Amino acid sequence: MSMKTLFGCMLGLAVTACLSFAQNAELTGWKSFTSSTGFSVKYPGSWVRKGNSKDRLMVLSSKGGAEAIVIKNGQAMISVIEEKSDVNSSLSQLIDRYNQDVDVLSRRNIRGENAGSRGCRDLNETISKEPAVPPEDVPGPVPYLINTEYFCEVKGHIYAMVLRNFEGDPKQALYQQIALQVAKSLRVDN
């Protein structure tokens, strides 16, 4: 192996180790939420819980923002809920319902190898874009929201985990990584 190749490998390992350390540092200090409907998830302890619902988790990446507006520019929101729909609704029908009237940017399935029987073994990820306000209500350019959604079914129950942030937010990749960790942490107690 040449010195150049060896140096490249060492540099690559150092960058990977630094990124892993940064990710783990961001993901430490997590809190637990247990719903009244029988699911639990973990979320970053530095995020701010919104509302007092016992059956839905809603957290913001920072304090502030108007009460009527869910998030402000530079802020993200993650919500987790068990979807109570009629008995005949399937997971794919729920995903379609969530993605009506939005531009779907990507879809993929993520395998949860460590989920066990109580967690999300198959996460369905959908990333979409929608106007933050109706275009007809704004005289100029319309700001857009990016929705990163994770759906799964565990023990016959369907769960939706949604991340929302403004398009162009420089922290979007970090927010998406956090949202994926929240989704992977879901466990059903019943």
Side-chain angles (χ1 to χ4, degrees), residues 15-30 44 173-178 180-181 184:
V15 168
T16 302
C18 287
L19 285 174
S20 178
F21 177 77
Q23 291 168 353
N24 287 336
E26 180 65 34
L27 301 178
T28 58
W30 285 51
L174 176 62
Y175 293 150
Q176 288 174 323
Q177 184 181 49
I178 290 169
L180 179 57
Q181 293 304 316
K184 286 181 173 180

Side-chain angles (χ1 to χ4, degrees), residues 137-150:
D137 291 351
V138 180
V142 175
Y144 283 87
L145 292 171
I146 300 297
N147 302 312
T148 304
E149 303 163 333
Y150 296 98

Side-chain angles (χ1 to χ4, degrees), residues 70-188:
V70 176
I71 61 172
K72 63 183 180 176
N73 198 12
Q75 188 178 47
M77 179 201 66
I78 295 175
S79 66
V80 183
I81 189 169
E82 178 182 349
E83 280 295 335
K84 302 280 188 183
S85 55
D86 62 64
V87 177
N88 297 325
S89 283
S90 68
L91 180 61
S92 62
Q93 289 170 323
L94 173 70
I95 293 169
D96 290 344
R97 192 177 82 224
Y98 264 73
N99 290 289
Q100 288 178 334
D101 304 323
V102 297
D103 293 327
V104 174
L105 305 174
S106 69
R107 289 180 191 232
R108 71 178 174 144
N109 289 334
I110 301 168
R111 192 83 181 121
E113 293 86 21
N114 299 324
S117 64
R118 296 178 31 214
C120 294
R121 290 184 180 177
D122 291 304
L123 281 170
N124 294 282
E125 177 192 75
T126 303
I127 300 176
S128 63
K129 174 180 167 177
E130 67 178 310
V133 294
E136 59 274 8
D137 291 351
V138 180
V142 175
Y144 283 87
L145 292 171
I146 300 297
N147 302 312
T148 304
E149 303 163 333
Y150 296 98
F151 303 95
C152 76
E153 188 169 356
V154 182
K155 296 184 174 187
H157 300 268
I158 298 176
Y159 299 92
M161 290 139 284
V162 179
L163 163 70
R164 300 186 90 190
N165 62 272
F166 279 93
E167 180 180 42
D169 190 315
K171 291 185 176 181
Q172 180 173 320
L174 176 62
Y175 293 150
Q176 288 174 323
Q177 184 181 49
I178 290 169
L180 179 57
Q181 293 304 316
V182 170
K184 286 181 173 180
S185 78
L186 185 129
R187 294 294 179 266
V188 177

Side-chain angles (χ1 to χ4, degrees), residues 11-83:
L11 182 61
L13 287 171
V15 168
T16 302
C18 287
L19 285 174
S20 178
F21 177 77
Q23 291 168 353
N24 287 336
E26 180 65 34
L27 301 178
T28 58
W30 285 51
K31 293 182 178 179
S32 294
F33 169 81
T34 302
S35 75
S36 61
T37 60
F39 75 88
S40 61
V41 291
K42 297 191 181 304
Y43 65 95
S46 61
W47 286 46
V48 180
R49 191 138 173 240
K50 186 171 174 90
N52 295 320
S53 175
K54 294 184 190 284
D55 59 355
R56 160 186 240 155
L57 173 67
M58 188 176 298
V59 290
L60 298 171
S61 61
S62 62
K63 291 182 179 181
E67 194 60 36
I69 300 170
V70 176
I71 61 172
K72 63 183 180 176
N73 198 12
Q75 188 178 47
M77 179 201 66
I78 295 175
S79 66
V80 183
I81 189 169
E82 178 182 349
E83 280 295 335

